[in-house]
Amino acid sequence: MRKGLIVQKYGGSSVANVERIQIVAKRVVAYRKKGYDLVVVVSALGDTTDELIELADKINAHPPEREMDMLLSTGEQISVALLAMAIDKLKFKAISFTGSQVGIITDTRHTRARIVKIGADKIRQALKAGKIVIVAGFQGMTPDQDITTLGRGGSDLTAVALAKELSADECEIYTDVEGIYTTDPRIEPKAKKLEEITYDEMLEMASLGAQVMQARSIEVAKKFDVPIHVRSSFSEKPGTMIIKEAKKMEDVVISGVTLNKNEIKITVCDVPDHPGAAAGIFKELSGGGVNVDMIVQNVSHTRKTDISFTVPRADVSKAKRITRRASSKIGAGEVIVDEDVARISVVGVGMKSHPGVAAKMFDTLAKEKINIEMISTSDISISCIIKKKPAESAVRSLHEKFGLGK
Ligand code: ADP
Ligand code: ASP
Ligand code: MG
């Protein structure tokens, strides 16, 4: 008798080489032997996606996004085929599919497409035939049959969306750390593994730079209440459950510290202080597809003001070009681009009812002689833009000051 359906996702480092693919195959087969149906989502081998991006850059610095998706989706096609072969070698039945083959239909936003529908008939048929189903993560297809990708880290989204669509009993995300930690364990070895974390906190941590889960996958998990188990593909230990409500002690104020080095800061000087000036800049940027994040505008005493904002590092040249053009259109001054910045943030639902978190954060940075260039807050996080160099040691200091260590 079948025990239930498990969706498992293995990240790039979990399938980085032949030996690791064989280990994954053995783990999958072990679950199969216990009587589970399995849908396995796989990322591209190791750093394949980064390597493909570099390769494209050597050919064309501004490649058409449709062609970028044609290129990047090949990474996952390699890994699903290899995993299916490894499982076959263990004498179990497996079949691999691309995203388009299993009917993952997306919108047409190439390189960051959104899933609009999942057919999944092919998956159901293969499961019925007793096969282990292996699906390429990170990819889908437009209604016009163009291949799309779901944004970096998008295999997490494939797994969560399939778990929802197939009403899976479990959704496991296998990665190279043992779960979600209070901060990146590669930056702070004293980081503590969390038994559980809420969707809201995980979403905030992911959006603020904790790459362990793709932010959009958590949005979908929250929307459809899909519990996620993040754990290591190198050990048998239980990892972290991402769930609606964590049953933790009331006095937990901060759950984690994050670092994001993927943003840069742009300042437009001498912006005329009249209605429509800011709109003149940000409308152009959004028209050009540049996602603006933190925005700070100084109070003006002189009828001119400075506006600073952050944009993704990947968009720096586009953002520079558009901002310069917009600045001259509205009669503003110089545009200064600062690439030497990082964002550090503290995250926790407890801060809603505990004052003093901001003061403690600023005080910790001051003691480290770190200058704060920008500040932004949400209900459950506080972020500061600082220089890149002291950022990792700032993470460790905040981690200690907020009592998160082991
Ligand atoms: P995968 O290839 O499995 O998708 P990723 O590299 O995308 O793995 O994510 C795992 C990495 O996320 C870890 O190696 C770790 O360095 C990093 N990370 C950042 N913040 C955290 C955190 N709070 N908890 C756990 N890992 C984190
Ligand atoms: N291979 C893709 C990436 O590196 C998708 C993923 O790993 O989730 O972003
Ligand atoms: Mg990932």
Side-chain angles (χ1 to χ4, degrees):
M1 204 188 77
R2 287 276 156 253
K3 265 196 173 163
L5 172 67
I6 305 184
V7 172
Q8 297 186 331
K9 175 254 169 178
Y10 292 90
S13 46
S14 304
V15 289
N17 55 40
V18 169
E19 198 197 342
R20 290 194 181 171
I21 293 171
Q22 286 164 337
I23 292 173
V24 168
K26 278 191 196 140
R27 185 184 285 268
V28 170
V29 163
Y31 274 89
R32 181 72 188 162
K33 284 182 182 161
K34 285 187 209 161
Y36 289 102
D37 277 338
L38 284 146
V39 173
V40 183
V41 175
V42 199
S43 293
L45 271 55
D47 296 325
T48 303
T49 309
D50 289 327
E51 286 158 17
L52 290 171
I53 291 171
E54 271 170 42
L55 187 61
D57 187 60
K58 284 185 189 144
I59 303 269
N60 182 344
H62 305 285
E65 287 183 330
R66 180 190 180 281
E67 304 313 324
M68 209 54 200
D69 280 349
M70 286 297 280
L71 179 71
L72 296 190
S73 60
T74 61
E76 272 70 11
Q77 193 169 340
I78 293 172
S79 39
V80 286
L82 291 175
L83 182 59
M85 290 175 196
I87 293 173
D88 177 78
K89 183 92 195 250
L90 299 174
K91 306 256 177 301
F92 279 76
K93 286 195 282 181
I95 182 164
S96 69
F97 294 117
T98 63
S100 39
Q101 279 179 308
V102 295
I104 298 179
I105 305 297
T106 72
D107 62 18
T108 57
R109 273 179 274 190
H110 282 289
T111 74
R112 53 187 176 285
R114 292 184 172 260
I115 298 176
V116 291
K117 199 175 78 187
I118 300 185
D121 285 348
K122 251 187 143 66
I123 297 182
R124 292 193 180 93
Q125 281 161 18
L127 288 174
K128 222 171 172 183
K131 293 175 188 166
I132 295 167
V133 175
I134 304 167
V135 180
F138 177 54
Q139 53 179 263
M141 179 180 76
T142 69
D144 283 340
Q145 302 187 331
D146 279 321
I147 290 175
T148 49
T149 60
L150 309 175
R152 295 308 303 270
S155 299
D156 297 333
L157 178 58
T158 306
V160 172
L162 284 177
K164 189 258 158 190
E165 182 61 36
L166 299 164
S167 308
D169 297 284
E170 275 180 60
C171 179
E172 295 183 316
I173 304 288
Y174 285 93
T175 183
D176 58 359
V177 287
E178 284 183 359
I180 309 297
Y181 284 71
T182 45
T183 193
D184 188 338
R186 291 182 207 288
I187 295 175
E188 174 51 285
K190 288 188 212 140
K192 217 167 34 192
K193 187 173 82 182
L194 301 166
E195 246 172 72
E196 29 181 50
I197 185 169
T198 62
Y199 293 125
D200 288 332
E201 285 170 307
M202 189 66 241
L203 180 56
E204 197 79 356
M205 278 175 72
S207 310
L208 293 171
Q211 74 174 45
V212 59
M213 286 297 297
Q214 190 210 32
R216 276 177 45 210
S217 71
I218 304 298
E219 269 169 19
V220 172
K222 182 185 172 186
K223 188 166 164 191
F224 298 107
D225 202 4
V226 181
I228 301 173
H229 185 184
V230 181
R231 55 191 304 195
S232 165
S233 62
F234 304 97
S235 93
E236 294 298 325
K237 286 191 201 158
T240 303
M241 289 304 301
I242 308 175
I243 46 180
K244 198 152 60 183
E245 261 170 71
K247 25 177 204 323
K248 59 188 167 194
M249 296 297 189
E250 259 220 80
D251 62 352
V252 177
V253 180
I254 298 301
S255 306
V257 180
T258 63
L259 170 62
N260 185 355
K261 292 184 183 165
N262 291 321
E263 280 175 280
I264 60 122
K265 180 177 124 190
I266 298 183
T267 303
V268 186
C269 305
D270 299 327
V271 178
D273 187 19
H274 61 66
I281 301 169
F282 296 114
K283 249 202 229 155
E284 298 266 342
L285 284 164
S286 82
V290 177
N291 234 334
V292 174
D293 197 355
M294 259 190 210
I295 302 175
V296 171
Q297 177 179 323
N298 293 343
V299 180
S300 137
H301 297 292
T302 58
R303 308 209 54 78
K304 298 245 176 185
T305 176
D306 290 352
I307 297 181
S308 292
F309 52 91
T310 61
V311 299
R313 197 169 287 276
D315 289 341
V316 57
S317 56
K318 187 156 67 167
K320 217 190 298 188
R321 203 173 59 237
I322 295 175
T323 310
R324 293 222 161 104
R325 197 178 56 213
S327 165
S328 78
K329 247 199 216 165
I330 61 168
E334 196 187 352
V335 172
I336 302 166
V337 177
D338 186 355
E339 299 195 34
D340 178 28
V341 293
R343 176 201 283 237
I344 45 166
S345 316
V346 295
V347 176
V349 284
M351 74 170 72
K352 283 186 194 172
S353 51
H354 282 74
V357 174
K360 195 166 175 177
M361 180 175 191
F362 303 156
D363 190 47
T364 307
L365 296 177
K367 290 208 169 98
E368 297 269 318
K369 305 220 169 350
I370 294 170
N371 194 39
I372 301 171
E373 299 189 16
M374 294 169 93
I375 298 167
S376 88
T377 62
S378 81
D379 242 16
I380 60 167
S381 71
I382 302 171
S383 297
C384 296
I385 294 285
I386 61 173
K387 285 276 169 263
K388 234 199 235 166
K389 198 160 164 225
E392 295 202 352
S393 86
V395 166
R396 289 187 283 270
S397 305
L398 289 170
H399 192 263
E400 204 208 313
K401 269 279 154 17
F402 283 99
L404 297 174
K406 279 180 197 156

